Amino acid sequence: MEAAGVKQADLDELVPVDLVLERFFRQAKTRAERIGASYLGLWTALESSTRGGKRFRPRLVLAAYAGFGGRDPSAAAHLAAAFELLHTALIVHDDVIDRDFTRRGGPNVSGRYRDDATTAGIPVPTAEHRGMSTAIIAGDLALFHSYRLLDRSGLADDLREALLQILDDALFASAAGELIDVDFSIARDVPSVEDVVEMERLKTAVYTFEAPLQAGAVLAGADAAHLPVLAQFGRRLGIAYQAMDDLLGVFGNEQETGKSTLGDLREGKRTLPIAFAATTDAWPGIAAWIGKPDLTDGEADQVRALLLSCGAEAFTRRLAAEHAAAALRLLDRLPVEVAQELSPFVGPALDRSR
């Protein structure tokens, strides 16, 4: 079955990327097995975290690479796999920060090790600590090896260094965004919509959209003049994507998203609907429930009703549409072949169920 917004042709072009990741994990697990069964189990859990995603980052790398006429599929596959492994590292760590134990409808790394511990009779707090500790180790491994995948690409030193710099800039921005997100969660005042947009851009849009597009173009030998336009396109698309992600986190179908629609509300995450709602008369009624760790389904329904009635849901959806439209306009400033490769990514950013 095809993933939402992904055509069979997209899945076919990802086969070389999946082969790079499969080879990497096979070699890593062989090494881990020499150390012990426990370490092998950790690598197996980490490998499972790379499966089942939308593969946005590899697809964007390959789209930019193809649009600019790249002719080294092996190098492109290694670059795309590096971004996917970076994504794995960041979501494993993000789940620890958010105290989430599920991802894509099943236990994540933290959840798997927590469940193993509780099954063995270990008290829940200790089991959860074990799960999160193990996930930190797994995320560290994925982060380090995302760079190593580029080292194994066979590229010339100057080109590899340019790509590593893009990867480094993306990680640098993401860490800043994650820190801002953590700071927002404990701040007394709700940040402005503009501040939330910037946080989400740094945390997610840079490494998910801007950097993969630029990296694919650089690998293909694109003129440097195109890179700022690609970055702007990725930024607009990323903001649209994150706005819709914020809506799915509250209004989504859990069976389709694979993630709880209570998590963001219980954690008190400062998302775009929340930032907008804080500027309306409905906020006192909403604020009473935001950040309540044992928020019930019924209480969450009350919050959702207020977010709808105050216009927060409509505002967030409108903001996403505006940024998606701006992304489409930017394609006119790129070569036709590139625009043809990238335009199919805009629609699915708005028409999402997961």
Side-chain angles (χ1 to χ4, degrees), residues 294-324:
D294 57 349
L295 187 76
T296 66
D297 288 328
E299 292 166 343
D301 285 339
Q302 293 181 50
V303 175
R304 294 186 188 103
L306 288 169
L307 289 173
L308 286 167
S309 65
C310 78
E313 191 272 348
F315 167 81
T316 304
R317 195 174 296 278
R318 186 167 62 252
L319 183 145
E322 290 170 355
H323 281 277

Side-chain angles (χ1 to χ4, degrees), residues 18-313:
D18 289 334
L19 289 175
V20 170
L21 289 170
E22 288 172 9
R23 182 166 60 249
F24 161 71
F25 278 109
R26 184 169 60 250
Q27 293 170 348
K29 288 189 294 184
T30 298
R31 293 174 63 194
E33 191 172 22
R34 300 189 192 110
I35 295 176
S38 176
Y39 198 33
L40 174 60
L42 177 63
W43 275 99
T44 301
L46 179 58
E47 182 180 22
S48 70
S49 296
T50 67
R51 297 176 179 148
K54 293 178 283 293
R55 292 288 200 261
F56 246 126
R57 297 142 202 90
R59 289 168 55 210
L60 286 168
V61 168
L62 297 178
Y65 186 70
F68 283 107
R71 296 176 179 271
D72 186 346
S74 176
H78 277 81
L79 176 61
F83 272 100
E84 186 64 19
L85 201 55
L86 173 65
H87 173 58
T88 297
L90 295 179
I91 63 171
V92 168
H93 282 163
D94 192 55
D95 283 348
V96 172
I97 292 170
D98 292 345
R99 301 176 192 174
D100 281 339
F101 293 94
T102 60
R103 170 74 65 168
R104 297 167 185 161
N108 56 16
V109 176
S110 298
R112 179 177 298 197
Y113 278 85
R114 178 204 60 180
D115 293 348
D116 288 347
T118 54
T119 299
I122 296 173
V124 171
T126 303
E128 289 184 347
H129 181 260
R130 179 182 186 249
M132 290 187 287
S133 300
T134 307
I136 291 172
I137 298 168
D140 288 347
L141 289 169
L143 182 59
F144 170 76
H145 284 284
S146 65
Y147 283 77
R148 289 289 290 148
L149 278 178
L150 272 184
D151 288 339
R152 299 170 186 172
S153 62
L155 295 171
D157 289 346
D158 57 343
L159 181 54
R160 187 175 71 252
E161 182 59 33
L163 294 172
L164 285 171
Q165 187 60 55
I166 293 173
L167 198 67
D168 182 58
D169 289 343
L171 176 59
F172 200 79
S174 185
E178 188 75 79
L179 178 61
I180 296 170
D181 194 17
V182 170
D183 287 344
F184 281 171
S185 69
I186 61 173
R188 175 178 295 180
D189 297 328
V190 178
S192 67
V193 167
E194 293 76 15
D195 286 342
V196 173
V197 166
E198 179 61 8
M199 177 273 291
E200 294 185 341
R201 184 189 78 83
L202 289 169
K203 179 180 173 180
T204 304
V206 173
Y207 92 87
T208 299
F209 296 92
E210 298 177 37
L213 288 168
Q214 290 182 306
V218 168
L219 181 62
D223 190 307
H226 294 307
L227 299 184
V229 181
L230 286 171
Q232 292 177 49
F233 171 80
R235 183 172 307 168
R236 293 288 195 167
L237 185 59
I239 292 170
Y241 185 91
Q242 277 306 120
M244 296 305 298
D245 203 58
D246 284 351
L247 289 180
L248 288 173
V250 178
F251 296 98
N253 183 319
E254 293 186 6
Q255 292 184 336
E256 294 180 351
T257 64
K259 194 171 183 179
S260 169
T261 54
L262 293 174
D264 286 357
L265 297 175
R266 284 174 171 172
E267 187 188 343
K269 284 186 76 68
R270 294 341 195 188
T271 61
L272 287 169
I274 296 301
F276 177 86
T279 67
T280 72
D281 293 339
W283 180 241
I286 296 172
W289 305 113
I290 300 300
K292 185 173 183 281
D294 57 349
L295 187 76
T296 66
D297 288 328
E299 292 166 343
D301 285 339
Q302 293 181 50
V303 175
R304 294 186 188 103
L306 288 169
L307 289 173
L308 286 167
S309 65
C310 78
E313 191 272 348

